[in-house]
Amino acid sequence: MTTNAKGKSAIVELKALLEDDEDRLRTLFQELFQELLEQEMTWALAAATSEHTNGLVRQYFPKGTDFRVVTESQIRTVEDRINYLPRKVLGYRTPAEVFTGALVPP
């Protein structure tokens, strides 16, 4: 059995904590679980948003598009259309509105 610096096993120490302050420990575990869940949801949302944006780009530039013949003007046009398209995930604001709002101090 592995012991900590105080000579107690982790299991013995955890049991003592459970007996001494069960409510506090339960709260800590719930907070930890909530934080991990929020991080996972943030990652999943970012991945879904990225996939959605890729799909929007593919509407203008299908797979196999030769970008050597695509002009900078064409790219800017698509960029503007996508950045000014309202998104449900942003409360029906556009990415441009959200970005601009993040730059302007409250």
Side-chain angles (χ1 to χ4, degrees):
M1 181 176 340
T2 309
T3 59
N4 64 14
K6 295 178 185 177
K8 292 182 179 179
S9 79
I11 293 173
V12 169
E13 196 164 353
L14 183 58
K15 284 181 180 179
L17 278 172
L18 282 168
E19 291 169 1
D20 291 344
D21 203 352
E22 186 176 343
D23 290 337
R24 178 68 182 134
L25 193 57
R26 180 178 289 117
T27 301
L28 287 172
F29 277 119
Q30 288 171 344
E31 290 171 0
L32 176 62
F33 178 76
Q34 184 65 34
E35 186 174 326
L36 292 172
L37 183 62
E38 287 172 4
Q39 289 175 1
E40 180 66 24
M41 288 173 57
T42 300
W43 180 88
L45 180 60
T49 300
S50 177
E51 290 299 319
H52 178 70
T53 303
N54 289 343
L56 292 172
V57 171
R58 288 283 177 221
Q59 289 178 10
Y60 297 96
F61 303 115
K63 244 182 190 167
T65 297
D66 184 355
F67 281 95
R68 293 174 295 186
V69 297
V70 175
T71 67
E72 188 170 331
S73 175
Q74 289 171 304
I75 292 172
R76 293 278 181 223
T77 298
V78 172
E79 181 182 324
D80 287 342
R81 287 181 181 173
I82 290 173
N83 284 334
Y84 288 93
L85 181 69
R87 307 283 173 82
K88 181 178 180 181
V89 72
L90 300 176
Y92 296 99
R93 293 174 295 161
T94 69
E97 290 171 328
V98 172
F99 181 74
T100 302
L103 295 177
V104 178

